[in-house]
Amino acid sequence: MNDATQPLPVAAVPSADAPTLLVKIFGKDRPGITAGLFDTLAAFGVDVIDIEQVVTRGRMVLCALVTAPAVPGAEGELRSTVHSWSESIKMQAEIISGIGDNRPRGEGRSHVTVLGHPLTAESTAAIAACITGTGGNIDRIFRLAKYPVTAVEFAVSGADPLALRSALATEAAARGVDVAVVPAGLHRRAQRLVVMDVDSTVIQDEVIELFAAHAGCEAEVAEVTAAAMRGELDFEQSLHARVALLAGLDESVADKVRAEVRLTKGARTLIRTLKRLGYQVGVVSGGFTQVTDDLKERLGLDFAAANTLEVVDGKFTGRVTGPIVDRAGKARLLRSFAEQAGVPLSQTVAIGDGANDLDMLNAAGLGVAFNAKPVVREAADTAVNVPFLDTVLYLLGITREEVEAADALDGTPTESAQDA
């Protein structure tokens, strides 16, 4: 039998009652500590079962779970050698005897992302206590971003994700932080489709109000828009009423409106990063194709759908053409985009701010209320209440460092230069 067909050795897995050692090294971080520890342990023929290492503000904590030495009496020598080595490099060591591997993680595993601006000790304590109160255990915590918000992720086990999401939503609202709960699993790394509302989500403006300013009816349109977004008016009726006020406006105004549109801070970064990851990205809007078609081209979107202002003889008629993109229409378009993209609905993310987005947010695998009205925040899976759209990346487990490293590699301008 040649080398290529030799069976692989079976990895050493300690039995449940096999003696093991937890070796903990902590102190000022510097190169070579990890290699030095395992060089020291190698002399005793131990096997590595688990490793965890964390560095915070230049201080390292390195934990290694290893099998106990097989040679009788060697454990005492191992302890003495590790302590001597750690003292020689001005570190501290702690060695704890135990049995077997780590205890199994509980069922019901979730990623809990917390966004704070700032993230206070009080709010962090409340979130951690809430996780414990639902029966969950915090297995790991790490930072995703330090600006423009502080974002940390808790790996939680032992709690039902839906119950955890409900409990944390209430606590987050009380503490003024944003919390998202996403069930753990391979699906988090799968290709996704992200569909966003446009007005007050991808852009800072309400497009109908930009048109209305040129028609001299901005106040009337704004009043109807606000009522519709609060869910007090039927969207289709309010749309027709607002569009009627634009009758007679010259079609060339659309060029001025496109130039006036202001992207939400972080919109470019969000879309650019998602596209790099192979995600497909689309927008749906109760606004107008006269703007969304331009956004699709400028931002490299895969999908875009909106209402279309009718034009006759170079003038807006005060009517729209084609099917109305309303609350139900947005949900239908999400499903249509998902089918075209070959992405299960469970792998979709929808982002919006108004009552008109509710059906879409509820239909998506993850619905994100972005600086939304109260009725939307209460109904969505999670809410983001900071004015940076790229914070949605943290809900997907993407760190700020990863985003910036990709930008640097491509020579992409910084966010402040692009989107301010």
Side-chain angles (χ1 to χ4, degrees):
M1 184 181 293
N2 60 38
D3 290 343
T5 57
Q6 289 284 349
L8 292 173
V10 178
V13 178
S15 63
D17 58 353
T20 53
L21 300 174
L22 175 61
V23 181
K24 177 182 176 183
I25 306 295
F26 50 100
K28 186 177 179 180
D29 184 36
R30 65 184 74 90
I33 294 173
T34 305
L37 172 62
F38 288 100
D39 276 344
T40 303
L41 293 172
F44 297 91
V46 300
D47 295 326
V48 178
I49 301 168
D50 195 5
I51 309 172
E52 289 277 355
Q53 180 171 310
V54 176
V55 178
T56 304
R57 211 178 69 175
R59 308 296 291 183
M60 166 195 272
V61 178
L62 169 61
C63 294
L65 183 64
V66 300
T67 56
V71 177
E75 182 179 327
E77 185 180 351
L78 180 150
R79 288 174 176 271
S80 176
T81 303
V82 169
H83 280 289
S84 296
W85 166 78
S86 65
E87 290 173 4
S88 72
I89 60 171
K90 296 182 171 57
M91 300 286 281
Q92 297 181 63
E94 181 181 8
I95 303 174
I96 303 171
S97 299
I99 299 295
D101 198 349
N102 303 311
R103 64 179 178 83
R105 294 181 66 196
E107 296 296 324
R109 300 176 187 179
S110 304
H111 300 283
V112 177
T113 306
V114 183
L115 310 178
H117 189 58
L119 180 62
T120 67
E122 180 182 15
S123 59
T124 304
I127 294 299
C130 187
I131 291 171
T132 302
T134 60
N137 184 71
I138 300 171
D139 301 316
R140 292 184 181 89
I141 308 174
F142 62 94
R143 186 174 69 182
L144 294 166
K146 60 182 179 182
Y147 72 91
V149 299
T150 300
V152 295
E153 180 172 293
F154 296 75
V156 175
S157 61
D160 174 70
L162 293 178
L164 185 61
R165 177 182 292 166
S166 177
L168 285 173
T170 302
E171 193 64 50
R175 301 293 175 176
V177 296
D178 299 329
V179 177
V181 178
V182 179
L186 287 175
H187 67 276
R188 201 182 191 204
R189 296 179 175 86
Q191 184 189 50
R192 287 190 177 185
L193 167 70
V194 177
V195 177
M196 298 175 282
D197 174 44
V198 175
D199 293 8
S200 299
T201 301
V202 175
I203 66 174
Q204 300 177 48
D205 313 281
E206 293 288 331
V207 169
I208 184 66
E209 294 178 8
L210 296 179
F211 277 102
H214 291 281
C217 57
E218 186 176 17
E220 297 94 319
V221 165
E223 183 178 347
V224 178
T225 298
M229 295 299 285
R230 291 193 300 267
E232 297 171 1
L233 294 176
D234 174 79
F235 176 81
E236 184 170 351
Q237 291 177 339
S238 68
L239 175 68
H240 289 307
R242 289 174 292 177
V243 170
L245 296 169
L246 306 182
L249 195 62
D250 195 274
E251 181 186 15
S252 63
V253 166
D255 293 329
K256 298 177 183 179
V257 168
R258 285 190 285 267
E260 293 166 353
V261 164
R262 300 166 300 161
L263 290 175
T264 297
K265 289 185 181 299
R268 290 183 192 274
T269 298
L270 172 65
I271 294 167
R272 180 174 66 244
T273 304
L274 293 174
K275 296 295 291 179
R276 281 174 176 156
L277 291 169
Y279 287 30
Q280 297 189 58
V281 185
V283 294
V284 291
S285 177
F288 310 111
T289 56
Q290 281 83 356
V291 169
T292 57
D293 287 351
D294 179 64
L295 289 174
K296 182 181 180 183
E297 183 176 350
R298 286 168 55 195
L299 300 175
L301 302 172
D302 299 285
F303 305 99
N307 300 300
T308 299
L309 291 171
E310 183 183 62
V311 178
V312 175
D313 296 330
K315 303 285 185 181
F316 292 121
T317 65
R319 298 186 295 270
V320 293
T321 62
I324 297 297
V325 178
D326 57 5
R327 176 169 167 168
K330 286 187 174 184
R332 285 196 301 271
L333 286 163
L334 171 71
R335 295 186 177 92
S336 175
F337 293 168
E339 185 176 354
Q340 293 175 60
V343 174
L345 204 59
S346 61
Q347 291 300 109
T348 61
V349 179
I351 309 169
D353 74 302
N356 203 34
D357 301 311
L358 277 173
D359 288 3
M360 176 177 73
L361 298 181
N362 290 331
L366 176 65
V368 180
F370 180 72
N371 291 306
K373 312 300 183 292
V375 66
V376 182
R377 289 200 303 269
E378 292 168 7
D381 294 324
T382 188
V384 171
N385 295 301
V386 293
F388 311 106
L389 193 56
D390 54 339
T391 54
V392 173
L393 292 170
Y394 311 143
L395 308 184
L396 305 177
I398 301 164
T399 70
R400 189 76 193 180
E401 288 183 350
E402 291 170 327
V403 173
E404 292 181 347
D407 283 347
L409 192 62
D410 289 352
T412 304
T414 62
E415 181 72 12
S416 58
Q418 274 202 326
D419 286 357

